[in-house]
Each structure stands twice: as C-alpha cells, then as structure tokens.
Amino acid sequence: MQSYTIGQAARLLGVSPDTARRWADAGRVPTHRDECGRRLIDGRALAAFSIEVAQGARTEDGETCTSARNAFPGIVTAVKLGDVAAQVEIQAGPHRLVSLLTREAVDELGLQVGMRATARVKSTSVHVDRA
C-alpha cells in the first residue's frame, strides 16, 4: 500500500502542511515512521480521512448548501467579460478551474478578482491520471 508524507497528504487534502501535521499530532489520522524517521500516512487511512474532512465542510449552521459533491472553494483570479459570455478563473488550492458562463450570471453574482468563490463541477466524463 502506498504511503504519503505529511506534505503530500496536505497537498491532497488542500490544506497547509502545518494543518496536516496538527491533525496527525491530534491522532485524527494515524501515522507511522519509515526507515529514515519520516512520518507517513497509509494511503487507505488518508483516503478515509479525506472523506471525513470533506463531510465536515459544512456551512455555519451545519447544513450543506448544495447537493453537488465536487466543490472547489478558492479565490477568483480572473474575470473576462464579453458582450454576452464571460470567463471566470478560480484557483482552488493547486487546481485552476475555468468556467464559461453568461455575463449576466457574473454580474448577478458580483464576481471580481480577489473574492472567494466555489467552483462546482458536474460532468458525465471525468478523466483520472495515476500519479
């Protein structure tokens, strides 16, 4: 089974290495040491923990606000407006997402560079590359 360093786990979870280290120190995710003394997280344990973390991402009142599961919270890095259409770029951790939508939708949402936004992905075709 593949194991991950704290830094690798942090990148996969979309958090800082310090946050991942605090979670490991608190026993929220089990770790073990390799022959060099590095703390590692078993791949299965990390997968289960990532689900737990995702389920814990709730609104302030404890409710989820959508049924969409593929949510990427991030920051708007670009807004390109056309007469009818618009292009919005969101940086969500290591992921850059680009959305094409109507200009009217961008205006109604008040999207501007620097504001927080969540990209929600719904697709019938998702490609997966093995790292």
Side-chain angles (χ1 to χ4, degrees):
M1 171 55 57
Q2 183 165 353
S3 293
Y4 297 90
T5 65
I6 296 287
Q8 290 170 327
R11 281 190 296 281
L12 291 170
L13 294 169
V15 298
S16 72
D18 285 338
T19 297
R21 195 171 296 109
R22 281 192 298 273
W23 287 342
D25 290 345
R28 289 189 62 193
V29 61
T31 63
H32 62 278
R33 297 216 180 251
D34 68 3
E35 61 279 351
C36 297
R38 296 180 304 172
R39 281 199 303 180
L40 300 176
I41 301 170
D42 175 72
R44 287 188 188 278
L46 182 59
F49 183 68
S50 70
I51 293 169
E52 177 186 326
V53 169
Q55 289 174 342
R58 306 272 183 204
T59 60
E60 291 176 8
D61 59 5
E63 298 294 322
T64 56
C65 57
T66 182
S67 64
R69 294 178 185 255
N70 302 320
F72 295 86
I75 187 167
V76 176
T77 57
V79 177
K80 298 174 186 166
L81 299 174
D83 291 336
V84 177
Q87 178 178 313
V88 176
E89 294 182 23
I90 296 174
Q91 191 68 40
H95 309 290
R96 177 179 161 261
L97 297 114
V98 179
S99 178
L100 301 176
L101 57 163
T102 65
R103 180 186 177 130
E104 180 182 8
V106 171
D107 291 341
E108 285 179 7
L109 292 171
L111 295 176
Q112 298 176 14
V113 171
M115 70 184 307
R116 290 186 308 163
T118 300
R120 301 203 183 274
V121 179
K122 174 109 171 123
S123 177
T124 57
S125 176
V126 176
H127 298 264
V128 177
D129 295 333
R130 183 175 172 185

